Amino acid sequence: MSRIDTLQTFVSVVRARNFTSAADALGVTPSAVSKQISGLEERLGVRLLNRTTRSVSPTEAGQMFYQHCENILESISEAEKLVTDFDVTPRGRLRITAMSNFGRRELARMFNDFSEKYPDISFDLHISDRPLDIVKEGYDFALRIGTLEDSRLIAKPVARQNIVICASPQYLKLWGTPTTLEDLNRHRILMVTNAEFARINWLRQFEKDHGFTLSSVERKLSVNDIDLVYEACLAGMGITAIPTYIADHHLQTGELVRLFSDVEIPVRTIKVVFPQNRYLATKSRAFLDFITQYFDDLGISTDES
């Protein structure tokens, strides 16, 4: 048996913590797995695994060896993919997670356009306001807004999240159009409260930048879903601040009215985040190129690096 096969067996045992489970995964007998590991330890002159009647675990030397084995096997896998994916049509399945503040409508349009261009690629899309460990949970990409604090990941900036304050004509007819920031004290406010979007608290930003307190503002609706806030704003429930890529269509049709266009709200960056591998499959490269061009066509691409 080759050294590569032996390394694969060792990695399988460490992952399964059990000879029998590793043997099942490899399609061999437990005795064959045990013989390979014993031979590997004898050749290296060091004990790699602590054995009990029910399970095994790596020794300190075994854990170090395991990490190197994983890197070796990953490099071999990447080399094989590089050859098999060369100059072929992008195909397969992408696992992607996104936070809800990205906007479900924009995601639906984007993935529809991508599917039309690459019909052989399908998606598992997970929407969550809880930042996931995409390496541990096996995602190809995450769409995130804000800072990146994981050195295992690469973040590619692809767009700006510009914010617009708006309300429906029906609401403004009933409650009046605010012309000064102080006027907001007499209005109903709709707030997005998910963990990421709440960091842009536009009311607090107004207070900080303009030196006054919005003491009487009625927060008519506070909810952690940006699309629900958007629908409530369209229905005439109150004033809110939402990304332009969500609101633009209804601003153009007149179903929403922009307020305080001279007031700046901090711009955030939309990033595509992915594991820091040396190789990206054809399907992944296609997605990265597409999403970059997609936001460029919308006019909200970013030059941030």
Side-chain angles (χ1 to χ4, degrees), residues 7-204:
L7 296 185
Q8 181 64 67
T9 298
F10 174 71
V11 167
S12 296
V13 170
V14 173
R15 288 174 177 171
R17 303 279 172 164
N18 182 282
F19 282 138
T20 301
S21 298
D24 290 342
L26 294 168
V28 297
T29 64
S31 61
V33 170
S34 179
K35 183 177 179 180
Q36 284 186 63
I37 298 302
S38 296
L40 178 62
E41 290 178 321
E42 183 178 349
R43 181 167 62 83
L44 295 177
V46 63
R47 184 162 56 90
L48 299 173
L49 298 173
N50 295 313
R51 298 162 172 82
T52 69
T53 56
R54 293 187 176 182
S55 66
V56 296
S57 60
T59 63
E60 183 177 359
Q63 183 62 38
M64 181 175 62
F65 187 63
Y66 168 74
Q67 292 171 351
H68 283 282
C69 288
E70 273 202 317
N71 292 335
I72 291 169
L73 294 173
E74 182 181 354
S75 295
I76 292 172
S77 177
E78 289 174 357
E80 291 174 343
K81 288 179 181 177
L82 186 62
V83 174
T84 57
D85 282 351
F86 180 74
D87 199 28
V88 297
T89 301
R91 65 181 71 250
R93 180 172 293 272
L94 288 172
R95 298 192 70 225
I96 300 173
T97 179
M99 302 187 78
S100 66
N101 61 342
F102 196 90
R104 290 173 176 81
R105 288 172 186 77
E106 196 57 53
L107 285 174
R109 287 193 290 266
M110 184 177 71
F111 284 115
N112 176 67
D113 291 352
F114 183 84
S115 294
E116 289 182 354
K117 185 173 183 179
Y118 298 104
D120 294 327
I121 297 178
S122 56
F123 302 94
D124 285 331
L125 180 61
H126 180 80
I127 302 295
S128 175
D129 287 331
R130 178 178 65 88
L132 302 176
D133 185 334
I134 67 172
V135 175
K136 181 178 179 180
E137 301 193 35
Y139 286 96
D140 297 294
F141 295 103
L143 302 178
R144 292 181 178 169
I145 299 171
T147 57
L148 176 66
E149 299 175 352
D150 192 332
S151 60
R152 300 171 302 167
L153 305 176
I154 295 174
K156 176 180 173 59
V158 293
R160 305 183 311 276
Q161 188 194 53
N162 299 311
I163 306 298
V164 60
I165 305 165
C166 56
S168 71
Q170 302 96 302
Y171 173 86
L172 297 175
K173 182 177 180 180
L174 183 64
W175 290 85
T177 300
T179 57
T180 67
L181 297 179
E182 289 86 347
D183 287 345
L184 290 173
N185 281 309
R186 298 189 295 275
H187 283 270
R188 295 179 169 187
I189 303 298
L190 314 176
M191 297 291 292
V192 183
T193 59
N194 72 42
E196 187 61 44
F197 195 85
R199 296 181 187 179
I200 313 173
N201 188 320
W202 55 285
L203 294 177
R204 295 289 170 264

Side-chain angles (χ1 to χ4, degrees), residues 164-173 176-178 230 233-234 236 238-242 247-261:
V164 60
I165 305 165
C166 56
S168 71
Q170 302 96 302
Y171 173 86
L172 297 175
K173 182 177 180 180
T177 300
Y230 180 52
C233 182
L234 277 171
I239 298 172
T240 194
I242 49 181
D248 266 350
H249 173 71
H250 287 101
L251 288 170
Q252 292 171 12
T253 62
E255 294 170 272
L256 287 177
V257 177
R258 182 171 184 175
L259 305 173
F260 304 110
S261 57

